[in-house]
Amino acid sequence: MVEIIAGEKGKGKTKYLLDKVNNDVAHATGNIVYLDKSQKHMHELTNKVRLINVSDYPIANSDEFIGFICGIVSQDYDLQEMYLDSFLTIANVQDDQLVHIIEKLDVISEKYGVKFVLSVSRNEADLPESAKAKVLISL
């Protein structure tokens, strides 16, 4: 399953995502990973959540990002959820690639049972139709 938290920059998506991951970890039976563009929120996450700073890795495009995600999934059979803050930035998503990358995340999610929650800096109205159906909250 892929869920999207949509809204323009500065609307509170990261705060909502951090609150959600910290609440969800109490009910999680598996591991949770939080991907971000920096270490900035490390102290806001419970220590049961693994924070990965994506900018530490040489990811140049969205296909390489999907490979990075697959590497994380392949190394952790207990992985239950992944939270991706600043999704468009960390995944190097161009406007015409959003549907394609979400479809790939859906395939990974179904095959390996990992839930993805994406923070997307766009208004819900500006998302493609297939992505609008995945919006958890629009801020």
Side-chain angles (χ1 to χ4, degrees):
M1 169 190 313
V2 175
E3 295 178 344
I4 296 174
I5 299 167
E8 291 294 323
K9 186 175 178 161
K11 294 291 185 179
K13 294 179 304 299
T14 296
K15 178 169 178 6
Y16 183 89
L17 192 66
L18 288 166
D19 289 344
K20 181 166 177 42
V21 70
N22 285 328
N23 288 331
D24 290 354
V25 76
H27 310 292
T29 56
N31 296 328
I32 296 179
V33 173
Y34 188 97
L35 274 62
D36 203 349
K37 61 185 176 185
S38 72
Q39 298 283 106
K40 181 176 161 182
H41 301 293
M42 179 172 49
H43 299 293
E44 297 172 62
L45 290 168
T46 177
N47 64 354
K48 295 179 182 170
V49 176
R50 178 170 178 213
L51 172 66
I52 298 175
N53 179 359
V54 177
S55 62
D56 286 344
Y57 300 90
I59 298 171
N61 57 51
S62 60
D63 286 333
E64 289 181 5
F65 181 77
I66 290 294
F68 182 73
I69 293 291
C70 288
I72 294 169
V73 171
S74 72
Q75 291 297 305
D76 188 350
Y77 292 111
D78 294 325
L79 185 61
Q80 182 177 339
E81 298 176 10
M82 290 186 77
Y83 292 79
L84 291 72
D85 197 6
S86 304
F87 175 68
L88 300 176
T89 302
I90 64 172
N92 294 299
V93 177
Q94 305 303 317
D95 287 339
D96 60 335
Q97 299 172 321
L98 185 58
V99 171
H100 173 71
I101 196 165
I102 289 174
E103 287 172 353
K104 286 198 174 228
L105 289 175
D106 263 331
V107 169
I108 296 166
S109 176
E110 289 296 318
K111 186 167 185 176
Y112 299 103
V114 177
K115 175 179 155 185
F116 293 96
V117 181
L118 319 176
S119 167
V120 177
S121 291
R122 287 224 185 113
N123 284 321
E124 182 178 1
D126 297 333
L127 293 173
E129 287 303 316
S130 61
K132 286 180 186 176
K134 298 179 179 308
V135 172
L136 174 66
I137 188 168
S138 183
L139 302 171

